[in-house]
């Protein structure tokens, strides 16, 4: 029987099933739900027709009230809006679960980009040995962050998982019960989560998804590509930011870092105990059963940290498993040896750390911490730094920092900043001793601008805890367009410094460099941010190769295209030979965790796509470097786009518009993340202090998605006006990199819906500003369609488009309610007498619908 097209599979297994289960959801006997169920479809139709007729959200909501709720009082109408919000949130969860259940049916789990496809193609081309060589050196690291682009409580995550499983097996009674549970389970938190809460929330994915899916990938590679031989490379691993990422988060303390590391170790040992218990039931043979029972006891003692003599180190645990495997092979006909090998493989992947905890802090904070540390050392008559250190020329300071000697041991610090940095570095060392070096061996400096930023941290790591045996990497993070352009100079300073170079030799001549897409986009717009990173990577690759250093790029990519996300594996497959690609490292956050890695199937499929994107280029050698003519066009497009974006950003109404017309200020009030929504302490809104997530998220809530397209239309129009559009078309046809950028920008455009905010065109203060955004949207859309010879956006991705369309239709009433509430707040704030009580109610509506939209936007731009 032939397989049906992907879109038909999606419509049958996702859209149709969602409609069936949604109708079941609507019949559940909740208090007051019956009215909501009857009225919500009517409200959706009122919204849909209202926008088609050019009406604004206020008119749409008031028309609905007049027609269907005319006899209800104001309070009753407000209550109904809250019930709509609660109901729509749950519809989104239901759609998530249906989509998750259908994932292996909609996607070809053995098709292009999977490991099976990679192996079969390599065998057909007689390149299996070459594939093995690449896999022995290649790594993919996904780094889970707590950035609040989605925050389902753990209870809701559990329901989504169970619901997907029940839907997969069409278990109607179970589905009924779970939908009822969903209806009664709270979605929002009464108080902000702590960084530790965020870490616990994400360990859910580690324990329930990654442990199994990553294990399966590794098992497949070992069995089918290496023919059961042991691989001297973990290939895939996980990084972890909650509890380690201090950048702009004053709530992350050294103690929280230690607590999170402890939680990670406990979580992985619990998973090992489950597997050992399974083996205990199966390996009931003489000479083995006793060993398994002993292992079980030792793991329990290690977990509970009791009876030190009867605990077990990771090395002892692995060696014992390998000994048992040998006995099984030699004495018991290899019975259940595959199950034992699977456990050994998991110890290779996850050790006693489960995920590597990264430490991150802003360079400006480090500078203050470093000054505090030096001042206290000088006050204590330490000879580590001379009294005139801060008066020395920069060159002398750098020389002193790189060749630093001495220790801060025995000095009792009093300054809070000095205490914080010393305790944080000591925590790193302590975690390495408890959980293994890989458990916490990277310190990332965000907003890295200079060589001094790197060497200050390098020196502090040495004198506080590590001495000359520095078992940690210093990772500069270049974010703004200016910093990206200066990055090669900074790294050359470091590569030519004999002491830093000696450190790199100790670390295997590897240097990790992080590049930030989110802040780059915020700073320079979509095209310039992506192109500036591409050029920085090229320059850093060339430089590193010249100095014999293996550079590893770690990409801070968000979920949506506006923050460097979009089709991630296509992005990595498009980079070409001028950019080092021995490892792929990227951040995964918020809705990207749940949508791309939330289930066993989706995480396995998307991880395999990432591995394949990095390996297949090298196997096939098909991805050519960009030609010099195409580079000139790309340079020019980026420059034109940058000018357009910077002019827009400098518009006097830019910040007031975000502050007063968007949901920006409400991000800080939704209890979805532990981190403040801006960096500085100023009460006034300052662009530099704005975090990328609320910045991009606010445009997303307005359905304007500015960071994903602004400037693209202006740049393309220049070539159209000059009758040189063929140059851009040639770039699009020849460059996979540019093609990926175009497709991701089209995704941002397809999620924009300007009818929602068209009313702003008539606003006395912001009307002209809104028209600037809309004009750029129209130009970008028209010219991207022209460039790609498409009739509509995302024409080549019908399933992605269909998924977005269903989600957009589910949340249309939510967005309408949000805009209605924002408009009401504006009116109430302009009134002669402020009604604080009513303002508070409408603010609550904005926040609740904001929360709903965040969770709804698995693929929001």
């Amino acid at each position: 029987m032939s397989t049906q097209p992907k879109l038909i599979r999606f419509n049958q297994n996702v859209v149709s099933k969602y409609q069936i289960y949604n109708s079941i959801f609507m019949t559940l006997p909740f208090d007051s739900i019956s009215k909501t169920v009857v009225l919500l479809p009517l409200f959706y139709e009122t919204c849909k027709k209202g926008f088609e007729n050019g009406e604004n959200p206020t008119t749409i909501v008031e028309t609905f009230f007049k027609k269907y709720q005319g006899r209800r009082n104001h309070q009753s109408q407000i209550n109904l809006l809250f019930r709509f919000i609660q109901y729509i949130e749950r519809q989104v969860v239901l759609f998530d679960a249906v989509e998750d259940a259908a994932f292996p049916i909609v996607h070809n789990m053995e098709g292009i980009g999977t490991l099976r496809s990679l192996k079969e193609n390599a065998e057909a081309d007689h390149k299996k040995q070459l594939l093995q060589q690449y896999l022995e050196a290649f790594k993919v690291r996904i780094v889970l962050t707590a950035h609040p682009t989605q925050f389902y409580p753990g209870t809701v995550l559990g329901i989504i998982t169970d619901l997907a499983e029940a839907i997969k097996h069409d278990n109607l009674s179970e589905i009924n019960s779970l939908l009822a549970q969903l209806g009664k389970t709270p979605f929002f938190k009464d108080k902000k989560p702590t960084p530790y809460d965020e870490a616990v929330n994400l360990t859910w994915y580690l324990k329930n998804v990654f442990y199994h899916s990553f294990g399966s990938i590794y098992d497949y590679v070992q069995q089918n590509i290496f023919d059961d031989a042991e691989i001297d490379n973990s290939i895939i691993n996980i990084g972890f930011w909650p509890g380690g990422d201090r950048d702009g988060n004053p709530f992350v303390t050294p103690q929280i870092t230690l607590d999170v590391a402890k939680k990670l170790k406990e979580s992985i040992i619990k998973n090992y105990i489950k597997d050992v218990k399974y083996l205990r039931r199966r390996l009931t043979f003489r000479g083995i059963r006793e060993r398994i029972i002993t292992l079980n006891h030792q793991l329990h003692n290690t977990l509970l940290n009791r009876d030190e003599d009867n605990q077990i180190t990771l090395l002892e645990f692995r060696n014992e498993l390998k000994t048992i495997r040998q006995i099984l092979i030699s004495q018991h006909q290899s019975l259940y040896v595959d199950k034992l090998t699977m456990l050994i493989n998991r110890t290779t992947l996850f050790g006693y750390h489960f995920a590597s905890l990264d430490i991150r802090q802003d360079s400006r904070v480090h500078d203050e911490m470093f000054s505090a540390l030096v001042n206290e050392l000088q006050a204590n008559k330490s000879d580590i730094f001379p009294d005139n250190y801060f008066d020395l020329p920069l060159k002398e300071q750098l020389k002193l920092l790189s060749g630093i000697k001495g220790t801060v041991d025995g000095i009792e610090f009093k300054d809070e900043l000095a205490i914080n940095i010393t305790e944080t570095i000591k925590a790193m060392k302590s975690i390495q001793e408890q959980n293994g070096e890989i458990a916490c061996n990277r310190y990332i400096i965000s907003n890295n601008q200079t060589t001094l930023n790197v060497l200050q941290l390098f020196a502090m790591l040495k004198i506080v805890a590590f001495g000359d045996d520095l078992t940690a990497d210093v990772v500069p993070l270049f974010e703004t367009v200016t910093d990206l352009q200066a990055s090669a100079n900074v790294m050359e300073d470091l590569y030519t410094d004999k002491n830093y170079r000696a450190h790199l030799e100790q670390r295997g001549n590897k240097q990790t460099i992080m590049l930030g897409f989110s802040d780059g986009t915020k700073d320079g717009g979509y095209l310039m941010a992506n192109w500036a990173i591409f050029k920085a990577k090229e320059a850093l690759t060339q430089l590193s190769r010249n100095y014999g250093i293996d550079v590893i790029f770690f990409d801070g990519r968000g979920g949506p295209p506006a923050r460097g996300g979009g089709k991630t594996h296509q992005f990595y497959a498009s980079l070409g030979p001028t950019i080092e690609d021995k490892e792929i490292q990227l951040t995964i956050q918020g809705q990207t965790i749940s949508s791309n890695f939330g289930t066993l199937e989706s995480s396995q499929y998307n991880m395999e796509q990432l591995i394949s994107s990095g390996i297949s280029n090298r196997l096939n050698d098909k991805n050519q470097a960009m030609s010099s003519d195409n580079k000139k066009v790309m340079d020019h497009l980026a420059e034109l786009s940058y000018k357009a974006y910077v002019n827009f950003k400098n518009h006097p109404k830019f910040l007031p518009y975000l502050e007063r017309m968007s949901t920006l200020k409400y991000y800080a009030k939704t209890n979805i993340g532990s981190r403040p929504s801006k960096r500085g302490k100023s009460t006034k809104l300052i662009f530099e202090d704005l975090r990328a997530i609320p910045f991009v998220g606010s445009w997303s809530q307005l359905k304007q998605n500015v960071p994903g397209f602004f400037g693209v239309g202006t740049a393309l129009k220049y070539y159209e006006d000059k009758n040189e559009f063929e140059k851009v078309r040639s770039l699009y046809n020849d460059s996979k990199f540019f093609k990926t950028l175009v497709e991701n920008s089209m995704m941002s455009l397809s999620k924009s819906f300007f009818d929602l905010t068209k009313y702003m065109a008539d606003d006395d203060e912001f009307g002209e500003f809104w028209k600037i955004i809309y004009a750029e949207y129209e130009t970008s859309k028209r010219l991207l369609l022209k460039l790609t010879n498409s009739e509509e956006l995302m024409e080549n991705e019908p399933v992605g488009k269909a998924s977005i369309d269903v989600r957009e239709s589910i949340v249309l009433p939510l967005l309408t309610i949000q805009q209605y509430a924002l408009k009401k707040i504006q009116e109430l704030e302009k009134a002669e007498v402020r009604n604080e009580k009513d303002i508070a109610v409408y603010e609550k509506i904005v926040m609740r619908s904001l929360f709903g939209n965040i969770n709804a936007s698995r693929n929001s731009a």
Side-chain angles (χ1 to χ4, degrees):
M1 191 177 111
S2 62
T3 308
Q4 290 176 314
K6 195 173 179 181
L7 184 60
I8 292 174
R9 300 201 304 272
F10 180 83
N11 286 331
Q12 286 179 352
N13 293 281
V14 179
V15 180
S16 299
K17 278 195 173 185
Y18 167 72
Q19 287 163 349
I20 292 164
Y21 294 130
N22 189 38
S23 61
I24 293 172
F25 194 27
M26 287 185 158
T27 61
L28 292 173
F30 295 138
D31 302 336
S32 74
I33 202 171
S34 52
K35 293 188 187 72
T36 312
V37 166
V38 172
L39 292 170
L40 184 55
L42 298 171
F43 183 54
Y44 169 73
E45 282 305 315
T46 308
C47 293
K48 191 165 172 283
K49 285 182 179 157
F51 287 123
E52 283 168 5
N53 296 331
E55 293 172 3
N56 65 48
T58 306
T59 306
I60 289 168
V61 173
E62 287 174 352
T63 301
F64 172 78
F65 281 153
K66 200 170 177 181
K67 193 169 178 182
Y68 300 107
Q69 289 279 288
R71 286 181 301 208
R72 300 255 163 204
N73 62 28
H74 175 69
Q75 188 56 51
S76 176
Q77 292 173 346
I78 293 291
N79 290 345
L80 181 65
L81 292 181
F82 275 114
R83 286 206 301 277
F84 280 165
I85 292 167
Q86 290 172 309
Y87 193 82
I88 293 163
E89 279 182 326
R90 285 156 179 78
Q91 283 183 308
V92 171
V93 168
L94 176 59
F95 189 73
D96 282 351
V98 173
E99 208 169 33
D100 285 347
F103 192 93
I105 302 167
V106 174
H107 296 80
N108 185 350
M109 300 297 284
E110 296 183 347
I112 294 167
T114 63
L115 287 175
R116 178 164 185 165
S117 167
L118 189 69
K119 176 187 82 89
E120 287 175 355
N121 289 339
E123 285 175 340
D125 296 339
H126 308 292
K127 290 181 178 176
K128 189 173 176 184
Q129 205 172 347
L130 193 60
L131 175 60
Q132 288 175 349
Q133 279 174 28
Y134 286 147
L135 283 168
E136 279 175 329
F138 181 73
K139 274 191 174 73
V140 176
R141 176 185 287 209
I142 62 167
V143 179
L144 306 183
T145 78
H147 295 347
T149 49
Q150 183 183 65
F151 206 82
Y152 282 133
T155 47
V156 176
L157 286 173
I159 294 170
I160 295 175
T161 304
D162 295 344
L163 196 50
E165 199 56 34
I167 289 167
K168 213 180 279 183
H169 299 102
D170 291 319
N171 185 338
L172 279 175
S173 65
E174 181 71 2
I175 290 165
N176 234 1
S177 302
L178 287 164
L179 288 174
Q181 183 188 350
L182 185 65
K184 291 179 172 291
T185 301
F187 271 45
F188 63 97
K189 294 180 176 289
D190 296 325
K191 59 180 192 294
K192 274 185 179 290
T194 66
Y196 184 75
D197 294 334
E198 289 170 332
V200 170
N201 208 46
L202 279 186
T203 54
W204 186 93
Y205 288 104
L206 294 178
K207 292 184 294 189
N208 295 289
V209 180
F210 296 125
Y211 182 77
H212 306 286
S213 61
F214 284 19
S216 296
I217 290 171
Y218 196 82
D219 293 342
Y220 180 88
V221 171
Q222 188 190 48
Q223 289 160 20
N224 297 282
I225 297 175
F226 285 84
D227 304 316
D228 288 321
E230 203 158 308
I231 314 165
D232 188 25
N233 181 24
S234 64
I235 302 172
I236 42 182
N237 55 57
I238 308 173
F240 204 75
W241 274 15
D245 181 9
R246 294 151 158 69
D247 182 8
N249 194 339
F251 308 113
V252 179
T253 63
Q255 189 56 51
I256 279 189
T257 304
L258 291 165
D259 290 345
V260 169
K262 187 172 178 236
K263 177 71 181 172
L264 288 167
K265 184 175 182 179
E266 284 172 359
S267 299
I268 188 59
I269 290 176
K270 281 179 182 174
N271 275 27
Y272 292 154
I273 287 170
K274 275 185 201 167
D275 284 354
V276 167
K277 277 184 177 170
Y278 169 82
L279 291 172
R280 187 174 168 175
R281 288 202 303 276
R282 294 288 170 267
L283 304 182
T284 50
F285 322 134
R286 191 189 300 278
I288 287 183
R289 185 169 177 272
E290 297 77 11
R291 299 183 89 129
I292 293 286
I293 291 169
T294 302
L295 264 187
N296 197 17
H297 289 318
Q298 288 173 322
L299 282 171
H300 269 290
N301 288 336
T302 309
L303 173 69
L304 301 170
N305 200 19
R306 68 181 183 201
D307 188 6
E308 254 182 61
D309 293 337
N310 205 15
Q311 290 185 21
I312 189 164
T313 66
L314 177 65
L315 185 62
E316 289 166 347
F317 180 38
R318 283 173 56 79
N319 286 343
E320 180 64 356
L321 290 174
K322 286 177 181 178
T323 302
I324 294 170
R325 182 170 62 182
Q326 280 309 113
I327 299 169
L328 278 178
I329 294 166
S330 61
Q331 296 177 27
H332 300 287
Q333 294 76 45
S334 297
L335 202 52
Y336 296 116
V337 78
D338 56 332
K339 300 293 183 192
L340 195 68
T341 302
M342 282 165 67
L343 179 53
I344 293 169
N345 286 347
R346 278 149 184 74
T347 64
T348 301
L349 292 177
F350 307 114
Y352 268 0
H353 63 282
F354 216 156
S356 301
L357 197 56
D358 285 341
I359 308 295
R360 184 172 80 129
Q361 182 56 281
D362 188 284
S363 64
R364 292 163 292 194
V365 179
H366 271 152
D367 198 49
E368 291 176 31
M369 287 174 158
F370 178 76
S371 297
L373 192 71
V374 173
N375 288 333
E376 288 228 32
L377 286 169
Q378 290 172 341
N380 280 277
K381 307 294 182 208
S382 163
D383 59 358
I384 296 176
F385 293 94
D387 289 342
N388 67 337
Y389 170 80
F390 291 111
D391 300 323
L392 293 173
L394 178 61
K395 205 171 179 181
E396 290 296 309
Q397 287 188 23
L398 295 176
K399 189 179 174 187
L400 198 149
L401 290 171
S402 83
I404 199 95
K405 295 289 176 196
T407 175
V408 302
D409 283 356
I411 291 173
E412 202 172 308
F413 292 100
K414 293 182 177 64
D415 187 293
E416 268 187 51
L417 287 168
I419 293 167
N420 194 304
I421 190 68
T422 51
E423 291 302 314
T424 298
I425 292 169
K426 284 175 183 172
M428 285 182 77
K429 180 80 169 167
S430 170
I431 292 164
Q432 289 191 4
E433 286 162 1
Q434 294 295 314
N435 299 6
E437 186 196 303
I438 194 175
C440 189
N441 66 351
R442 303 202 306 191
Y443 200 128
I444 299 158
I445 312 166
S446 52
N447 192 45
N448 195 96
Q449 297 173 338
T450 64
T451 311
L452 184 66
N453 294 154
V454 178
L455 289 181
Q456 281 178 341
L457 177 61
F458 180 67
M460 288 193 288
L461 287 166
K462 283 188 153 192
I463 62 174
V464 170
F466 290 93
D468 288 333
D469 184 23
L470 178 50
T471 53
D473 299 319
V474 181
V475 180
L477 163 51
F478 301 104
E479 298 180 85
T480 66
V481 172
T482 311
D483 293 347
L484 288 163
Q485 289 165 346
S487 60
N489 292 336
V490 170
M491 295 317 298
E492 185 154 30
D493 285 348
L494 294 167
Y495 291 164
T496 52
D497 181 287
K498 66 172 187 174
N499 295 306
Y500 191 81
R501 185 61 200 250
H503 162 67
L504 287 182
E505 280 168 21
Q506 251 185 318
R507 305 295 292 161
N509 277 320
K510 288 185 176 183
Q511 172 67 55
T512 303
I513 299 172
M514 189 173 178
L515 303 150
F517 284 76
S518 300
D519 281 286
T521 308
K522 190 190 112 190
D523 178 56
Y526 179 71
L527 275 187
M528 179 53 97
N530 280 280
W531 184 234
I533 286 170
F534 186 95
K535 289 206 296 184
K537 282 187 174 181
E538 279 198 323
L540 291 164
T541 297
Q542 187 63 53
L543 177 79
S544 302
R545 285 173 180 170
N546 290 347
Y547 283 101
I549 302 293
D550 279 337
V551 68
I552 297 159
F553 293 118
F554 174 21
D555 294 324
R557 297 172 68 82
R563 297 189 39 246
K567 297 288 180 188
T568 307
H569 52 275
Q570 285 177 9
F571 169 81
Y572 285 108
S574 76
L575 292 178
T578 56
I579 289 175
E580 198 63 82
D581 62 352
K582 286 176 188 162
E583 292 195 23
I584 288 176
Q585 296 192 7
L586 68 157
T587 53
I588 305 284
Q589 55 206 35
Q591 78 273 32
T592 319
I593 299 174
S594 61
S595 60
N596 289 3
F597 297 92
T599 67
L600 294 176
E601 291 90 357
S602 65
S603 76
Q604 183 165 339
Y605 178 84
N606 284 305
M607 200 65 189
E608 287 190 19
Q609 294 285 327
L610 274 176
I611 294 168
S612 292
S613 69
I615 294 282
S616 55
N617 278 351
R618 303 169 78 191
L619 274 179
N620 304 321
D621 202 25
K622 285 179 185 169
N623 207 358
Q624 300 302 311
M626 205 182 282
S627 71
S628 58
D629 284 349
N630 279 338
K631 271 196 171 175
K632 278 179 197 162
V633 176
M634 187 69 228
D635 252 335
H636 193 215
L637 284 170
E639 200 54 52
L640 291 166
S641 161
Y642 181 60
K643 279 180 188 162
Y645 179 78
V646 169
N647 286 340
F648 173 65
K649 193 175 75 172
N650 292 338
H651 193 289
K653 294 298 175 197
F654 184 89
L655 281 178
Y657 179 81
L658 271 179
E659 199 165 22
R660 306 221 307 269
M661 304 301 275
S662 84
T663 56
L664 182 69
K665 64 184 176 189
Y666 298 98
Y667 262 81
K669 299 175 184 178
T670 53
N671 294 321
I672 58 170
S674 70
R675 199 164 67 158
S677 60
K678 62 190 184 75
R679 283 186 172 92
K681 291 173 183 171
S682 168
T683 49
K684 192 181 170 211
L685 186 61
I686 298 165
F687 183 78
E688 286 69 29
D689 287 346
L690 260 183
R691 291 209 158 279
I693 288 166
F695 175 73
V696 172
S698 298
W699 291 112
S700 169
Q701 300 275 323
L702 284 167
K703 303 309 286 178
Q704 292 175 1
N705 294 330
V706 158
F709 70 81
F710 202 96
V712 175
T714 298
L716 293 175
K717 191 170 185 301
Y718 174 90
Y719 280 83
E720 184 185 53
D721 292 346
K722 292 274 185 187
N723 291 319
E724 293 180 348
F725 204 71
E726 279 310 305
K727 287 185 178 177
V728 187
R729 191 163 272 140
S730 171
L731 172 66
Y732 176 76
N733 291 331
D734 294 347
S735 166
K736 279 187 182 178
F737 173 74
F738 184 60
K739 195 170 191 175
T740 303
L741 288 192
V742 163
E743 286 172 359
N744 282 339
S745 190
M746 288 173 89
M747 193 191 291
S748 284
L749 289 166
S750 71
K751 294 168 194 163
S752 299
F753 181 60
F754 277 82
D755 286 351
L756 181 72
T757 55
K758 198 180 275 182
Y759 72 90
M760 292 181 188
D762 301 323
D763 188 89
D764 291 342
E765 187 177 353
F766 295 110
E768 291 309 308
F769 186 75
W770 185 90
K771 286 173 188 171
I772 291 170
I773 302 168
Y774 184 59
E776 184 66 19
Y777 162 79
E778 288 280 279
T779 306
S780 299
K781 181 179 173 181
R782 178 178 69 80
L783 290 174
L784 285 174
L785 290 173
K786 177 179 176 177
L787 176 64
T788 57
N789 289 321
S790 302
E791 294 294 316
E792 59 178 18
L793 296 166
M794 292 185 74
E795 201 173 90
N796 298 327
E797 294 180 63
V799 171
K801 187 176 185 308
S803 175
I804 288 165
D805 289 346
V806 177
R807 288 177 182 281
E808 297 293 318
S809 69
I810 293 172
V811 298
L812 183 66
L814 207 55
L815 293 161
T816 310
I817 291 167
Q818 187 180 73
Q819 284 297 319
Y820 166 75
L822 283 167
K823 193 85 177 88
K824 282 288 181 191
I825 292 165
Q826 289 163 21
E827 287 169 9
L828 288 163
E829 285 177 340
K830 284 176 188 168
E832 284 182 27
V833 181
R834 277 173 68 102
N835 185 331
E836 298 295 346
K837 193 179 169 191
D838 279 1
I839 288 174
V841 169
Y842 286 113
E843 284 190 333
K844 193 175 177 187
I845 288 176
V846 171
M847 283 189 287
R848 282 304 315 279
S849 50
L850 171 71
F851 192 73
N853 281 322
I854 290 167
N855 279 338
S857 306
R858 253 197 189 184
N859 38 24
S860 79

